[in-house]
Amino acid sequence: MLTFFHPHELNKHIHTLKKEGKRIGFVPTMGALHAGHLSLLEASKSACDISVCSIFVNPTQFTNPEDLAKYPRTEKSDSALLEKAGCDILFMPDQQEIYAREKPMPITFNALTQSFEGASRPGHFEGVARIVRLLFDCVQPDEAFFGLKDYQQCLVIDELVKQLDLGITLHFIPTKREPDGLAMSSRNQRLNSKQREAAPVIYRTLLWAKDQLGNYTAAELEKACIARIEEEAALRVDYFKFADARTLEPVSVWKKDMLLIALAAVFAGDVRLIDNLLLK
Ligand code: AMP
């Protein structure tokens, strides 16, 4: 595995690979890697000749400076994991160098970046779009891989690629879970034992909601789901909502033929966990 820190050096190397006709797959991450990240790498390895992973804890997507400061940083073990998993190139860009390449962003996301994660974390998706665009510019991928755990992020990246006409094929990969159902996340390492024990109720509740769709109105079911999660003293719900899975418009009335998703964000102390489930 080759490791690059300087965007221009990676760019030069990628240029050579492309001249050789290699197809480049890209998995952007913020590190503290787990099996969820590795499933994205696996997908890239099966689809592409060369797989590039990046590790960059991007300051512009954090609204809370404490969350940024506490974000786990485990570059050494991450690098070893990636090497073992067969990653070809690791990119850990220098912050100043990568942001020095920034150009104006001629796109509008409208409502997509304002709801759910965007409402709870103002500016988050603008920060995500800025860095993903810069990383795409350095890596020049043919295909890129993102996790459905960050469902709203998948829609934002889809818009980014379409509006900038980047010609990158996107793959959205199912969420990897712990045996008890908790969605794998780098933030899970920050849970204490009580919070960790309580956290699987989030996924259990998403599954329960899927089962109960016909029995409640959307508002009643949201309320019932919030109550189920908050029965755990260690957890506080930020939001639990149903939305149209294509637009993320909140759903108040069940409609036939609608692609429906349930989205949840839950605080365990100061650790914020998100999860979602496509319901139909
Ligand atoms: P992060 O390092 O949290 O920014 O995540 C990097 C990529 O891994 C994003 O596309 C995430 O959606 C994806 N990811 C995070 N957790 C999981 C998971 N449990 N299963 C699958 N993909 C994930």
Side-chain angles (χ1 to χ4, degrees):
M1 183 176 76
L2 294 172
T3 301
F4 289 86
F5 300 95
H6 304 295
H8 66 280
E9 286 176 5
L10 173 71
N11 226 211
K12 208 167 134 199
H13 184 67
I14 296 279
H15 199 66
T16 313
L17 291 169
K18 290 207 154 200
K19 267 197 182 155
E20 292 167 5
K22 299 277 195 281
R23 216 168 156 73
I24 312 290
F26 178 42
V27 179
T29 83
M30 296 205 297
L33 301 181
H34 50 66
H37 297 113
L38 296 183
S39 70
L40 271 54
L41 173 60
E42 249 340 283
S44 170
K45 277 162 56 77
S46 0
C48 299
D49 304 308
I50 297 287
S51 291
V52 182
C53 279
S54 63
I55 297 179
F56 182 66
V57 183
N58 172 37
T60 68
Q61 73 188 68
F62 284 82
T63 12
N64 177 353
E66 267 180 41
D67 193 24
L68 172 62
K70 286 184 185 165
Y71 202 85
R73 290 165 202 252
T74 55
E75 278 95 353
K76 259 202 174 147
S77 54
D78 287 346
S79 171
L81 256 183
L82 288 175
E83 173 122 52
K84 194 161 163 241
C87 176
D88 300 294
I89 296 175
L90 168 58
F91 181 39
M92 295 201 283
D94 175 83
Q95 184 178 322
Q96 272 192 344
E97 285 183 32
I98 193 155
Y99 272 103
R101 299 167 69 96
E102 194 162 31
K103 293 170 265 181
M105 178 103 85
I107 54 177
T108 43
F109 291 111
N110 298 327
L112 190 56
T113 55
Q114 306 304 313
S115 57
F116 299 103
E117 288 307 283
S120 295
R121 306 170 68 189
H124 169 69
F125 287 118
E126 287 74 7
V128 169
R130 279 173 73 186
I131 192 62
V132 171
R133 185 202 185 190
L134 285 167
L135 290 167
F136 280 169
D137 181 52
C138 298
V139 178
Q140 298 286 312
D142 299 288
E143 313 201 16
F145 299 78
F146 292 86
L148 281 169
K149 175 176 166 285
D150 298 283
Y151 186 84
Q152 193 172 6
Q153 173 169 280
C154 292
L155 297 187
V156 169
I157 304 297
D158 195 42
E159 268 304 308
L160 178 82
V161 167
K162 279 190 186 131
Q163 287 192 34
L164 295 179
D165 200 14
L166 297 178
I168 299 169
T169 304
L170 294 175
H171 301 261
F172 301 131
I173 308 296
T175 303
K176 270 260 177 205
R177 299 180 179 281
E178 301 291 352
D180 59 14
L182 176 64
M184 288 183 182
S185 165
S186 309
R187 290 191 164 88
N188 292 353
Q189 329 177 356
R190 290 182 45 216
L191 299 174
N192 66 29
S193 60
K194 278 210 170 117
Q195 293 164 341
R196 175 63 189 83
E197 226 173 87
V201 75
I202 302 168
Y203 185 52
R204 283 203 304 275
T205 304
L206 287 164
L207 292 172
W208 181 78
K210 183 172 183 173
D211 213 41
Q212 296 294 321
L213 278 186
N215 299 335
Y216 294 92
T217 66
E220 285 167 353
L221 193 50
E222 281 167 9
K223 213 169 146 202
C225 288
I226 291 169
R228 282 174 91 89
I229 294 172
E230 291 190 341
E231 265 174 34
E232 292 287 351
L235 303 180
R236 182 172 62 78
V237 174
D238 184 8
Y239 61 74
F240 189 108
K241 285 234 166 273
F242 301 105
D244 181 319
R246 292 188 188 90
T247 61
L248 287 197
E249 302 248 340
V251 163
S252 49
V253 179
W254 307 131
K255 284 191 198 130
K256 245 184 155 188
D257 305 327
M258 165 179 274
L259 202 58
L260 187 68
I261 188 165
L263 300 149
V266 175
F267 281 104
D270 65 349
V271 184
R272 195 161 172 285
L273 302 172
I274 59 169
D275 203 348
N276 64 75
L277 188 66
L278 271 170
L279 303 180
K280 58 175 191 147

